[in-house]
Amino acid sequence: MGAMLGEGGMGRVYAARDRLKGEDVAIKVLRQDLQFSKAATDRFLTEAKVSCNLSHPNIVRVHDVGISGGTYYLSMERLKGHTLRQQMDEYRREKRAFRIAEVTDIARQLIDALRYAHRYIIHRDIKPENIWLAEDGTLKLMDFGIARAFSNSQLTQTGMVLGTAYYMSPEQRIGAKEIDWRTDQYALGVVLYELFAGMLPMGAVQPIDTIRRDLPKRHANALMRAMAVLPEDRFQSLND
């Protein structure tokens, strides 16, 4: 393995070369202190199994999963670019706002990825850190570590709250038994709100068109509806 590309709560990602395929890959390795945690290894393997079965241009491609020397790892396509969070931080330093066209393009690609993924799973942890922007402008949704397959509800224990709090839907925060694809819609709305407003929607949420007066009313209404407290008040399909 080569240089470390990044790290998160579950493990580290390293640059590597797949000699058989003749291509650069990234190797995600589970943290050493988590190797003996069944919850951690289950989550890691869930990500690998789910991701290996997903094939979409806006979802990071996972090639393989295995154990080597007692260490859990998965190999995936090596991406060049940066996370959406890094882009947001750069814009903030430059005191620069995201243009409507930029956010619309990000939204379109995320919706395409989710429309495909929701045939199989709910992501449950959509946030700027899990969204990759490739150098050619292609967006890639990453980290299906806490995704729940529609066919296997036992992957998530009742009452277990997983995900990043600011982006979690109300039903996910309280650990509701029934959580469906609309929890991802809520998180998507929060990400888009943050892109437009430059801040997270907290407390008494200010309507987005009072912050971004250049935003068409139709866009503003759609964004606020996606973040409705009750799932039934959100859009009933991503096509909508």
Side-chain angles (χ1 to χ4, degrees):
M1 286 191 292
M4 188 174 75
L5 300 174
E7 63 181 319
M10 291 291 289
R12 294 176 173 174
V13 179
Y14 296 90
R17 180 76 179 172
D18 187 325
R19 294 192 186 94
L20 197 62
K21 292 182 178 179
E23 65 177 270
D24 291 331
V25 296
I27 304 291
K28 184 173 183 177
V29 178
L30 184 64
R31 266 176 30 201
Q32 283 295 324
D33 59 318
L34 295 177
Q35 299 287 338
F36 301 104
S37 163
K38 187 176 186 305
T41 54
D42 282 353
R43 176 177 165 180
F44 190 85
L45 292 172
T46 295
E47 174 183 4
K49 289 171 184 175
V50 167
S51 300
C52 281
N53 290 323
L54 298 177
S55 178
H56 188 277
N58 296 120
I59 296 175
V60 67
R61 192 171 76 253
V62 171
H63 302 303
D64 194 19
V65 60
I67 306 174
S68 177
T71 299
Y72 288 83
Y73 74 90
L74 61 84
S75 68
M76 53 188 159
E77 66 176 312
R78 185 154 156 205
L79 304 169
K80 293 182 178 179
H82 48 263
T83 65
L84 180 58
R85 173 63 70 203
Q86 290 170 315
Q87 180 95 318
M88 292 162 75
D89 289 343
E90 182 183 329
Y91 275 30
R92 193 170 288 115
R93 284 192 300 270
E94 296 173 355
K95 294 182 170 53
R96 175 178 167 190
F98 278 86
R99 292 179 291 107
I100 293 174
E102 286 180 284
V103 181
T104 301
D105 185 50
I106 289 168
R108 180 185 56 77
Q109 293 189 67
L110 271 175
I111 288 169
D112 282 348
L114 288 173
R115 194 160 35 200
Y116 169 82
H118 284 164
R119 289 154 56 185
Y120 311 100
I121 52 90
I122 312 163
H123 189 284
R124 297 166 67 91
D125 195 21
I126 293 168
K127 57 186 178 182
E129 290 81 358
N130 287 339
I131 298 165
W132 188 268
L133 298 176
E135 290 177 342
D136 66 357
T138 302
L139 178 148
K140 298 272 187 177
L141 185 57
M142 307 184 295
D143 196 354
F144 284 79
I146 63 172
R148 188 181 74 186
F150 284 126
S151 59
N152 187 356
S153 61
Q154 293 180 350
L155 285 174
T156 302
Q157 297 174 14
T158 301
M160 181 184 289
V161 179
L162 293 169
T164 305
Y166 291 126
Y167 302 92
M168 284 196 300
S169 65
E171 65 270 23
Q172 194 174 345
R173 280 198 295 270
I174 64 172
K177 289 181 182 180
E178 295 299 323
I179 290 176
D180 62 21
W181 66 273
R182 289 173 294 186
T183 197
D184 285 348
Q185 181 187 161
Y186 182 94
L188 171 63
V190 174
V191 170
L192 299 179
Y193 187 104
E194 188 179 10
L195 288 173
F196 277 128
M199 61 183 181
L200 284 160
M202 293 187 289
V205 179
Q206 196 174 344
I208 190 62
D209 55 352
T210 64
I211 300 171
R212 286 291 298 262
R213 298 191 182 277
D214 59 332
L215 196 60
K217 192 70 175 174
R218 186 168 61 93
H219 287 54
N221 290 343
L223 178 51
M224 298 307 293
R225 182 175 173 185
M227 292 194 304
V229 172
L230 298 175
E232 54 266 33
D233 290 337
R234 297 171 206 153
F235 289 101
Q236 297 310 298
S237 83
L238 283 172
N239 289 330
D240 293 342

